[in-house]
Amino acid sequence: MSTNSDDNKRVKIRNYTKMDELSQAISRGLSLQNRRMGYEESMAAAEHLINFFGYSDRVIDNMLEPEDRDAFYTMEDIGVLRTEREETTLFDGREWRIHYWILNISK
C-alpha cells in the first residue's frame, strides 16, 4: 500500500501562466527583435496560442494549420515556445517521429 507522500512524489507538478504574463512575454520577445506589438495585439496572440494548449504544456505539431505553425515558429524564436520530438519504431520496422511544441514557462 502506498502512502500519500509516495503518491505525491510520482505526480508531475504542472506550472501555469497567466494571459497577461504570456502577452508581456510575447511583446518583450518581439521588441528584442526590433518589432512592435501593441497590448491588444499581444493579448490576442497570447489567447490564440493558449487556445491550442488549454491545461496542457504541449501540442502535437501535426494538428497545426500552416499559418498557426508559422506563428509557433515566431513564438519559438522569441523564447515563448520550444520544440521536442519523440521517436518510436513501428511494427513494420519504420521509424516514426512525433514533433511537439512546448510552452516555455518558468518552473
Side-chain angles (χ1 to χ4, degrees), residues 92-103:
D92 62 4
R94 292 181 294 150
E95 291 294 317
W96 188 261
R97 291 183 191 96
I98 304 168
H99 297 270
Y100 297 100
W101 291 95
I102 302 168
L103 271 175

Side-chain angles (χ1 to χ4, degrees), residues 60-107:
I60 296 176
D61 179 74
N62 66 353
M63 71 172 279
L64 299 175
E65 296 293 329
E67 59 272 5
D68 296 323
R69 189 172 291 110
D70 289 343
F72 275 44
Y73 277 118
T74 300
M75 296 299 117
E76 180 184 32
D77 289 344
I78 63 174
V80 173
L81 295 178
R82 61 186 174 88
T83 58
E84 191 175 279
R85 78 176 188 191
E86 180 181 318
E87 295 182 5
T88 187
T89 304
L90 301 176
F91 290 114
D92 62 4
R94 292 181 294 150
E95 291 294 317
W96 188 261
R97 291 183 191 96
I98 304 168
H99 297 270
Y100 297 100
W101 291 95
I102 302 168
L103 271 175
N104 198 16
I105 56 176
S106 300
K107 302 277 184 209

Side-chain angles (χ1 to χ4, degrees), residues 28-42:
R28 277 193 310 268
L30 288 174
S31 68
L32 292 174
Q33 296 181 339
N34 294 323
R35 297 163 63 189
R36 298 279 178 238
M37 184 179 276
Y39 175 77
E40 292 84 14
E41 193 177 7
S42 65

Side-chain angles (χ1 to χ4, degrees), residues 50-65:
I50 208 72
N51 281 335
F52 285 99
F53 288 92
Y55 290 104
S56 182
D57 65 346
R58 66 183 53 220
V59 171
I60 296 176
D61 179 74
N62 66 353
M63 71 172 279
L64 299 175
E65 296 293 329

Side-chain angles (χ1 to χ4, degrees), residues 7-23:
D7 292 337
N8 289 339
K9 289 179 186 176
R10 283 185 248 140
V11 174
K12 181 180 175 188
I13 297 173
R14 162 77 164 88
N15 296 301
Y16 295 95
T17 187
K18 296 177 185 173
M19 289 294 291
D20 61 330
E21 292 172 343
L22 184 56
S23 172

